[in-house]
């Protein structure tokens, strides 16, 4: 379809366009038709052709477009309505809704939406009786059991349902929306009366009653008071007996009682409680019959009432028994028989209620809190029993038949139970641990009634849930628990895992009770050789080595031997191997100084030998992963081997003069391994994963060795230069930044660091010349590196060979990058760079030459090129310019803003002048500068005064 003039928006032309849109296989032609039809809907002729499209002899697609056009004209082009046409439009619309009452449904719904939009335009000033008039117009007197009467009734209900929905979805100013909500709420009594009559009619067909329920949910968005819906709510409860309406009735009831405003009507809420309690027999039968949908729905209702209005119901002290009965009902939902999610899905709905009840009880005044704690402490002990029962694993054969999705849902469910138990501990305190301990002791010592592994695992799970986050150091049952653990026969993976997690959760306690390590450490070391226990066992070992390292000297040989054996045998996956090395780093750190190097060498030598063997082989995909893995083992070992922290601890314990760490064991190992690492780098220069792994070894070492790393700095600078020259990578830049941070002020190491910085800057310049778009991570790290240089050792910029102008122009180009982290890093660089315009001549020179370019680039970014969320970061740069170069800023800013339409066509000359004055005045408050830049960003995008701006 070719472009047409406005006078060609005829019925025939519209039908041809619709034919093309719906049936032409050519997508380009469809798009042209779509664009033309949008123009047609916006034209004045649309007020006329829409009625012709709704004629009964048209196909539904054309009728639907006619109805959609009516809605578009009323909702978006109301001001185009010809004068004096309102009454005619209203009458025609009502007639059309009546005509399409029997369908097609899509046309009827669109006409109802159009009529709803009309009502919202004229209510309450022009048509104050709109809702009552519409109720009368569609109540013909025919019985809803007859076809005609039912169709008219359904049409009216459709109209009533979409009326509040249209209010919610329309772009209406907040004040007008509030006025309309109040006007519609006034008519709720008459609407409610009709809806209740229809629900209570025994002969009303199910489609009518289902539409009534949808209508109720829609009107609830108008903040209808609960006291004005009591009768209707009662009717909804009655519908829960009818299976075909059950789900819709549940949704409606939950919507009604979940309204927060209901709390103002305590008397009405108290009337709801017995109605909910009256569902218990139906709930019980549903559970017995395995009817998960019904039990789930009733549980939703009980939880909605209890959770939303817990505080209000607690405050009705005279009615405490009714609320207690509701709590008991929710408890029965929590304890629904069967395993979640295979046998039931209701119990998970209740967990947040127990948080709410606990919070509300503990926030009451002292008198009522005492009363309710007497009532509900026993309830919470019962809850713990119920939750642990629900956390039990099913029988082995049943669990084996579960799908992977069911197992994952059950795992998540147990995490939720764990969180709930931890929270409940705040209410019940140490008595809860005593309770769990007594039950576990009974299970393990009762020889007459052998216990299942599931019951033992659940009790340990309870202990672990609490110990994971709560300080149990004062509990008198933990020693007994530690003593019971070796008595457990862990012949099941789930039970063994929970034992390991429990031991791990007690690591801090064990650090204060080191004699107990001998009881549990053998359990962990024994499990280390089982790949099925990998995550749990390695996690427990790492936590023990971290927390108890100062007490592990007697156990060090055993831990080292078992760990080295499992590492050599490749029992664990790579992440768990990394954890083991971290654990061994903690362990080695706490050994006597004269033992560390020998133990460290015995640990790393097999891996270095393997690495040497791989390095001598030709590079291939088969040996890349092992190389990366071994380098990862070394970096993880060095990441926790922090001899400096260990020395600090020794100084606190016995303040004696400590010797400099000239013989740091990690330095010795790295010096020995350096030639090997150089060989690997030379062969794998173009392989990012290997280079990144090499950089990680040195970065982790740097962070723990700090100045002890000094003997390796010169060699490392040369290696980084080699790596970055061959294949520029962010990891090499990040490693350089770490070097600058630690050794930037060391005169002896100034020369290799400045040489590396010059090399990296020159190489990165070439990346920018070729196009930096493919290397956003390198650009970001380059900005961060130079920011670190300026902060740590700005004197490096006094070097004749370091091109500060190149850094400046790279920064300018970085402002064109779309990545938010890169833009943030660039802003930080310029903020720091500008602050040195007085003490670094090269910075002052480049700003004098191209400060205007910086301002233009900044304004372009603020004006729309970059995300609005970055306005604050751009403001930081402007603030730095204002503080450090105020005289130059005045000239740059006005010159930059001089071109018309820059940085945005939304800005007037007055806007720009006002912005200049504000910026030039602001040299004190960074917060005020941010507000000025935000406002300018909104103006540039034409968003000032919008709802978005109000929330910005």
């Amino acid at each position: 379809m070719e472009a047409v003039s406005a006078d060609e928006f005829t019925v025939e032309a519209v039908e041809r366009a619709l034919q093309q849109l719906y049936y032409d296989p050519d997508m380009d032609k469809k798009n042209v038709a779509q664009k033309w039809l949008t123009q047609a809907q916006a034209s004045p002729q649309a007020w006329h052709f829409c009625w012709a499209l709704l004629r009964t002899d048209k196909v539904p697609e054309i009728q639907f477009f006619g109805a959609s056009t009516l809605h578009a004209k009323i909702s978006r082009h109301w001001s185009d309505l010809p004068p004096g046409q309102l009454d005619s439009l209203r009458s025609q619309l009502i007639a059309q809704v009546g005509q399409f009452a029997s369908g097609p449904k899509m046309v009827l719904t669109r006409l109802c939406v159009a009529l709803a939009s009309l009502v919202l335009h004229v209510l309450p000033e022009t048509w104050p009786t709109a809702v009552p008039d519409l109720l009368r117009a569609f109540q013909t007197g025919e019985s809803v059991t007859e076809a005609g009467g039912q169709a008219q009734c359904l049409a009216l209900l459709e109209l009533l349902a979409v009326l509040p929905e249209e209010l919610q979805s329309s772009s209406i100013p907040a004040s007008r929306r509030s006025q309309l909500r109040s006007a519609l709420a006034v008519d709720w009594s008459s609407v409610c009366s009709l809806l209740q009559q229809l629900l209570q009619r025994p002969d009303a067909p199910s489609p009518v009653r289902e539409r009534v329920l949808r209508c109720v949910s829609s009107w609830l968005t108008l903040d209808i008071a609960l006291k004005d819906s009591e009768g209707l709510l009662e009717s909804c409860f009655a519908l829960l007996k009818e299976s075909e309406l059950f789900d819709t009735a549940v949704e409606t009831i939950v919507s009604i009682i979940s309204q927060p405003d209901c709390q103002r009507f305590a008397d009405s809420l108290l009337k709801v409680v017995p109605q909910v309690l009256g569902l218990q027999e139906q709930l019980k039968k549903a559970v017995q019959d395995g009817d998960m949908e019904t039990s789930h729905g009733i549980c939703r209702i009980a939880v909605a009432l209890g959770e939303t209005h817990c505080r209000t119901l607690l405050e009705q002290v005279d009615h405490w028994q009714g609320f207690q009965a509701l709590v008991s009902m929710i408890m029965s939902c929590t304890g629904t028989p069967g395993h979640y999610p295979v046998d039931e899905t209701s119990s998970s709905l209740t967990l947040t209620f127990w948080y709410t009840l606990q919070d509300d009880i503990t926030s009451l005044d002292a008198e009522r809190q005492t009363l309710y704690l007497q009532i509900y402490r026993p309830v919470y002990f019962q809850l713990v029993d119920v939750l642990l029962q629900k956390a039990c694993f099913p029988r082995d054969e049943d669990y084996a038949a579960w799908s992977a999705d069911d197992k994952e849902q059950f795992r998540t469910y147990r995490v939720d139970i764990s969180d709930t138990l931890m929270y409940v501990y705040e209410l019940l305190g140490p008595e809860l641990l005593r309770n769990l301990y007594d039950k576990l002791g009974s299970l393990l010592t009762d020889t007459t009634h052998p216990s299942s592994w599931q019951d033992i695992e659940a009790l340990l799970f309870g202990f672990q849930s609490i110990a994971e986050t709560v300080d149990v150091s004062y509990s008198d049952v933990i020693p007994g628990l530690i003593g019971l653990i070796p008595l457990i026969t862990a012949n099941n993976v789930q039970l063994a895992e929970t034992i390991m997690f429990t031991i791990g959760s007690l690591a801090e306690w064990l650090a204060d009770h080191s004699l107990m390590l001998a009881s549990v450490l053998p359990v962990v070391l024994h499990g280390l050789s089982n790949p099925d226990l990998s995550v749990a066992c390695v996690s427990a070992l790492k936590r023990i080595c971290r927390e108890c390292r100062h007490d592990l000297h007697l156990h060090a040989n055993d831990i080292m031997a078992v760990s080295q054996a499992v590492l050599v045998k490749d029992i664990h996956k790579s992440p768990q191997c990394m954890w083991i090395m971290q654990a061994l780093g903690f362990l080695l750190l706490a050994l006597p100084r004269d033992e560390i190097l020998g133990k460290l060498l015995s640990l790393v030598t097999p891996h270095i030998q393997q690495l040497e063997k791989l390095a001598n082989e030709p590079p291939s995909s088969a040996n890349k992963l092992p190389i990366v893995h071994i380098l990862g083992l070394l970096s993880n070992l060095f990441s926790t081997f922090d001899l400096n922290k260990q020395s600090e601890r020794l100084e606190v314990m016995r303040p004696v003069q400590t010797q400099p760490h000239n013989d740091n064991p990690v330095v010795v190992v790295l010096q020995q391994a350096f030639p090997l690492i150089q060989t690997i780098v030379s062969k794998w220069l173009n392989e990012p994963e290997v280079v990144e792994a090499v950089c990680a070894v040195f970065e982790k070492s740097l962070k723990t060795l700090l100045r002890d790393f000094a003997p390796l700095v010169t060699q490392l600078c040369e290696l980084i230069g080699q790596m970055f020259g061959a294949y520029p990578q962010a990891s090499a830049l990040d490693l350089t930044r770490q070097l600058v941070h630690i050794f930037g002020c060391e005169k002896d190491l100034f020369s290799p660091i400045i040489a590396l910085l010059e090399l990296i800057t020159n190489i990165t310049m070439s990346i920018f010349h070729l196009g930096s778009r493919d290397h956003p991570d390198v650009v970001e790290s380059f900005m961060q590196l130079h920011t670190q240089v300026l902060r740590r050792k700005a004197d490096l910029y006094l070097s004749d060979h370091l091109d500060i102008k190149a850094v400046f122009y790279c920064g300018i180009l970085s402002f064109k990058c779309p990545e938010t982290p890169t833009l943030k890093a660039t802003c930080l660089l310029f903020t720091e760079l500008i602050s040195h315009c007085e003490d670094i001549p090269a910075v002052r020179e480049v700003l004098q030459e191209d400060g205007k370019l910086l301002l233009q680039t900044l304004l372009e970014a603020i004006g729309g090129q970059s995300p609005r969320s970055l306005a604050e970061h751009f403001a930081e740069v402007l603030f730095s310019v204002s503080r450090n170069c105020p005289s130059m800023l005045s000239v740059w800013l006005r010159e930059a803003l001089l071109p018309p339409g820059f940085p945005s066509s939304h800005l007037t000359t007055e806007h720009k002048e006002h912005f200049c004055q504000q910026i030039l005045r602001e040299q004190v408050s960074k917060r005020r500068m941010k507000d000025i830049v935000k406002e300018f960003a909104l103006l540039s995008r034409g968003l000032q005064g919008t709802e978005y701006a109000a929330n910005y």
Side-chain angles (χ1 to χ4, degrees), residues 95-140:
Q96 289 290 347
V97 169
Q99 181 177 320
F100 282 91
S102 299
K105 176 69 166 56
M106 64 178 184
V107 181
L108 172 64
T109 299
R110 213 69 201 141
L111 287 170
C112 288
V113 172
L115 184 50
S117 185
L118 184 147
V119 170
L120 296 179
H121 276 295
V122 297
L123 190 73
E125 297 89 352
T126 309
W127 192 12
T129 58
V131 174
D133 289 350
L134 290 171
L135 291 178
R136 282 192 295 272
F138 289 98
Q139 292 186 65
T140 60

Coordinates of all heavy atoms in Angstrom, one line a residue, residues 95-140:
A95 N -25.3 1.2 22.4 CA -26.1 0.3 21.4 C -25.2 -0.8 20.8 O -25.6 -1.9 20.7 CB -26.7 1.2 20.3
Q96 N -23.9 -0.4 20.5 CA -23.0 -1.3 19.9 C -22.6 -2.4 20.9 O -22.5 -3.6 20.5 CB -21.8 -0.6 19.4 CG -22.0 0.3 18.2 CD -22.2 -0.6 16.9 OE1 -22.0 -1.8 16.9 NE2 -22.7 0.1 15.9
V97 N -22.4 -2.0 22.2 CA -22.1 -3.0 23.2 C -23.3 -4.0 23.3 O -23.1 -5.2 23.4 CB -21.8 -2.4 24.6 CG1 -21.8 -3.4 25.7 CG2 -20.5 -1.6 24.5
G98 N -24.5 -3.5 23.3 CA -25.7 -4.4 23.3 C -25.7 -5.3 22.1 O -26.1 -6.5 22.2
Q99 N -25.4 -4.7 21.0 CA -25.5 -5.5 19.7 C -24.5 -6.6 19.7 O -24.8 -7.7 19.2 CB -25.3 -4.6 18.5 CG -25.4 -5.2 17.2 CD -25.2 -4.3 16.0 OE1 -25.7 -3.1 16.1 NE2 -24.5 -4.7 15.0
F100 N -23.3 -6.4 20.3 CA -22.2 -7.4 20.3 C -22.2 -8.2 21.5 O -21.2 -8.9 21.8 CB -20.8 -6.7 20.0 CG -20.6 -6.4 18.6 CD1 -20.9 -5.1 18.1 CD2 -20.0 -7.3 17.7 CE1 -20.6 -4.8 16.8 CE2 -19.8 -7.0 16.4 CZ -20.1 -5.7 15.9
A101 N -23.2 -8.1 22.3 CA -23.3 -8.9 23.6 C -23.1 -10.4 23.4 O -22.5 -11.0 24.2 CB -24.6 -8.6 24.3
S102 N -23.6 -10.9 22.3 CA -23.5 -12.3 22.0 C -22.2 -12.7 21.3 O -21.9 -13.8 20.9 CB -24.7 -12.8 21.2 OG -25.9 -12.6 21.9
G103 N -21.3 -11.6 21.1 CA -20.0 -11.9 20.4 C -19.9 -11.2 19.1 O -20.8 -10.6 18.6
P104 N -18.7 -11.3 18.5 CA -17.5 -12.0 19.0 C -17.0 -11.3 20.2 O -17.0 -10.1 20.4 CB -16.5 -11.8 17.8 CG -17.3 -11.5 16.6 CD -18.5 -10.8 17.1
K105 N -16.4 -12.2 21.1 CA -15.9 -11.7 22.4 C -14.9 -10.6 22.3 O -14.9 -9.6 23.0 CB -15.4 -12.9 23.2 CG -14.8 -12.6 24.6 CD -15.8 -12.1 25.6 CE -15.3 -12.1 27.0 NZ -14.1 -11.3 27.2
M106 N -13.9 -10.8 21.3 CA -12.9 -9.8 21.3 C -13.4 -8.4 20.9 O -12.9 -7.4 21.3 CB -11.8 -10.2 20.3 CG -12.3 -10.4 18.8 SD -10.9 -10.9 17.7 CE -11.7 -10.8 16.1
V107 N -14.5 -8.4 20.1 CA -15.0 -7.1 19.7 C -15.8 -6.5 20.8 O -15.7 -5.3 21.1 CB -16.0 -7.3 18.4 CG1 -16.6 -5.9 18.0 CG2 -15.2 -7.9 17.3
L108 N -16.6 -7.3 21.5 CA -17.3 -6.9 22.7 C -16.4 -6.2 23.7 O -16.6 -5.1 24.2 CB -18.1 -8.0 23.3 CG -18.7 -7.7 24.7 CD1 -19.8 -6.6 24.5 CD2 -19.3 -9.0 25.3
T109 N -15.3 -6.9 24.0 CA -14.3 -6.4 25.0 C -13.8 -5.1 24.6 O -13.7 -4.1 25.4 CB -13.2 -7.4 25.3 OG1 -13.8 -8.7 25.7 CG2 -12.2 -6.9 26.3
R110 N -13.4 -4.9 23.3 CA -12.8 -3.7 22.9 C -13.9 -2.6 22.9 O -13.5 -1.4 23.3 CB -12.3 -3.9 21.4 CG -11.1 -3.0 21.1 CD -9.9 -3.6 21.9 NE -8.9 -2.5 22.0 CZ -8.2 -2.3 23.0 NH1 -8.3 -3.1 24.1 NH2 -7.2 -1.4 23.1
L111 N -15.1 -2.8 22.6 CA -16.2 -1.8 22.7 C -16.4 -1.4 24.2 O -16.6 -0.2 24.5 CB -17.5 -2.3 22.1 CG -17.5 -2.4 20.6 CD1 -18.7 -3.2 20.1 CD2 -17.5 -1.0 20.0
C112 N -16.3 -2.4 25.1 CA -16.5 -2.1 26.5 C -15.4 -1.2 27.0 O -15.6 -0.3 27.8 CB -16.5 -3.4 27.3 SG -18.1 -4.3 27.2
V113 N -14.1 -1.5 26.5 CA -13.0 -0.6 26.9 C -13.2 0.8 26.4 O -12.9 1.8 27.1 CB -11.7 -1.3 26.4 CG1 -10.5 -0.3 26.6 CG2 -11.4 -2.6 27.1
A114 N -13.7 0.9 25.2 CA -13.9 2.2 24.6 C -15.0 3.0 25.4 O -14.8 4.2 25.7 CB -14.4 2.1 23.1
L115 N -16.1 2.3 25.8 CA -17.1 2.9 26.6 C -16.6 3.3 28.0 O -16.9 4.4 28.5 CB -18.3 2.0 26.7 CG -19.5 2.5 27.5 CD1 -20.0 3.9 26.9 CD2 -20.7 1.5 27.4
A116 N -15.7 2.4 28.5 CA -15.1 2.8 29.8 C -14.2 4.0 29.7 O -14.2 4.9 30.6 CB -14.3 1.6 30.3
S117 N -13.5 4.1 28.6 CA -12.7 5.3 28.4 C -13.5 6.6 28.3 O -13.1 7.6 28.8 CB -11.8 5.1 27.2 OG -10.9 6.2 27.0
L118 N -14.6 6.5 27.6 CA -15.6 7.6 27.5 C -16.0 8.0 28.9 O -16.1 9.2 29.3 CB -16.7 7.2 26.6 CG -17.8 8.3 26.3 CD1 -18.3 8.2 24.9 CD2 -18.9 8.3 27.4
V119 N -16.4 7.0 29.7 CA -16.9 7.3 31.1 C -15.8 8.1 31.9 O -16.1 9.0 32.6 CB -17.3 6.0 31.8 CG1 -17.6 6.3 33.3 CG2 -18.5 5.4 31.2
L120 N -14.6 7.6 31.8 CA -13.5 8.3 32.5 C -13.3 9.7 32.1 O -12.8 10.5 32.8 CB -12.2 7.5 32.4 CG -12.3 6.0 33.0 CD1 -11.0 5.3 32.7 CD2 -12.6 6.1 34.4
H121 N -13.6 10.0 30.8 CA -13.5 11.4 30.3 C -14.6 12.3 30.9 O -14.3 13.5 31.1 CB -13.5 11.5 28.8 CG -12.2 11.2 28.1 ND1 -11.1 12.0 28.3 CD2 -11.8 10.1 27.4 CE1 -10.1 11.5 27.6 NE2 -10.5 10.4 27.0
V122 N -15.8 11.8 31.1 CA -16.9 12.7 31.5 C -17.4 12.6 32.9 O -18.3 13.3 33.3 CB -18.1 12.4 30.5 CG1 -17.7 12.8 29.1 CG2 -18.5 11.0 30.6
L123 N -16.8 11.6 33.7 CA -17.1 11.5 35.1 C -16.3 12.3 35.9 O -15.1 12.4 35.7 CB -16.9 10.0 35.4 CG -17.5 9.5 36.8 CD1 -19.0 9.4 36.7 CD2 -16.9 8.1 37.1
P124 N -16.8 13.0 36.9 CA -18.2 13.1 37.3 C -18.9 14.4 36.8 O -20.1 14.5 37.0 CB -18.1 13.2 38.9 CG -16.8 13.9 39.1 CD -15.9 13.6 38.0
E125 N -18.2 15.3 36.2 CA -18.7 16.6 35.8 C -19.9 16.5 34.8 O -21.0 16.9 35.0 CB -17.7 17.5 35.3 CG -16.6 17.9 36.3 CD -15.4 16.9 36.2 OE1 -15.6 15.9 35.5 OE2 -14.4 17.1 36.9
T126 N -19.6 15.9 33.6 CA -20.6 15.9 32.5 C -21.6 14.8 32.7 O -22.8 14.9 32.3 CB -19.8 15.7 31.2 OG1 -18.8 16.7 31.1 CG2 -20.8 15.9 30.0
W127 N -21.2 13.6 33.2 CA -22.1 12.5 33.3 C -21.9 11.8 34.7 O -21.4 10.8 34.9 CB -21.8 11.4 32.2 CG -22.8 10.4 32.0 CD1 -24.0 10.3 32.6 CD2 -22.6 9.1 31.3 NE1 -24.7 9.2 32.2 CE2 -23.8 8.4 31.4 CE3 -21.6 8.6 30.5 CZ2 -24.0 7.2 30.8 CZ3 -21.8 7.4 29.9 CH2 -23.0 6.7 30.0
P128 N -22.4 12.5 35.7 CA -22.2 12.0 37.1 C -23.0 10.7 37.4 O -22.6 10.0 38.3 CB -22.8 13.2 38.0 CG -23.8 13.9 37.1 CD -23.2 13.8 35.7
T129 N -24.0 10.4 36.6 CA -24.8 9.2 36.9 C -24.4 8.1 35.9 O -25.2 7.2 35.6 CB -26.3 9.4 36.8 OG1 -26.5 10.0 35.5 CG2 -26.7 10.5 37.8
A130 N -23.1 8.1 35.4 CA -22.7 7.1 34.4 C -23.0 5.7 34.8 O -23.6 4.9 34.1 CB -21.3 7.4 34.0
V131 N -22.5 5.3 35.9 CA -22.6 3.9 36.3 C -24.0 3.4 36.6 O -24.4 2.4 36.0 CB -21.7 3.6 37.6 CG1 -21.9 2.2 38.1 CG2 -20.2 3.9 37.3
P132 N -24.8 4.2 37.3 CA -26.2 3.8 37.5 C -27.0 3.7 36.1 O -27.8 2.8 35.9 CB -26.8 4.9 38.4 CG -25.7 5.4 39.1 CD -24.5 5.3 38.2
D133 N -26.7 4.7 35.2 CA -27.3 4.7 33.9 C -26.9 3.4 33.1 O -27.8 2.8 32.4 CB -26.9 5.9 33.1 CG -27.5 7.2 33.7 OD1 -28.4 7.1 34.5 OD2 -27.1 8.3 33.2
L134 N -25.7 3.0 33.2 CA -25.2 1.8 32.5 C -25.9 0.6 33.1 O -26.2 -0.4 32.3 CB -23.7 1.7 32.5 CG -23.0 2.8 31.6 CD1 -21.5 2.7 31.9 CD2 -23.2 2.6 30.1
L135 N -26.0 0.6 34.4 CA -26.7 -0.6 35.0 C -28.1 -0.7 34.5 O -28.6 -1.8 34.2 CB -26.6 -0.4 36.5 CG -25.3 -0.5 37.2 CD1 -25.4 -0.3 38.7 CD2 -24.6 -1.9 37.0
R136 N -28.8 0.4 34.4 CA -30.2 0.3 33.9 C -30.2 0.0 32.4 O -31.1 -0.8 32.0 CB -30.9 1.7 34.1 CG -31.3 1.9 35.6 CD -32.2 3.2 35.7 NE -31.5 4.4 35.3 CZ -30.8 5.1 36.1 NH1 -30.7 4.8 37.4 NH2 -30.2 6.2 35.7
A137 N -29.3 0.5 31.7 CA -29.3 0.3 30.2 C -29.2 -1.2 29.8 O -29.8 -1.6 28.8 CB -28.2 1.1 29.6
F138 N -28.5 -2.0 30.6 CA -28.2 -3.4 30.3 C -29.0 -4.4 31.1 O -28.9 -5.6 30.9 CB -26.7 -3.7 30.4 CG -25.9 -3.0 29.4 CD1 -25.2 -1.8 29.6 CD2 -25.8 -3.6 28.1 CE1 -24.5 -1.2 28.6 CE2 -25.0 -2.9 27.1 CZ -24.4 -1.8 27.4
Q139 N -29.9 -3.9 32.0 CA -30.7 -4.8 32.7 C -32.1 -4.8 32.0 O -33.0 -4.0 32.3 CB -30.9 -4.4 34.2 CG -29.5 -4.6 34.9 CD -29.7 -4.4 36.4 OE1 -30.4 -5.1 37.1 NE2 -29.0 -3.3 36.9
T140 N -32.3 -5.7 31.1 CA -33.4 -5.7 30.2 C -34.7 -6.4 30.8 O -35.7 -6.3 30.3 CB -33.1 -6.4 28.9 OG1 -32.7 -7.8 29.2 CG2 -32.0 -5.7 28.2

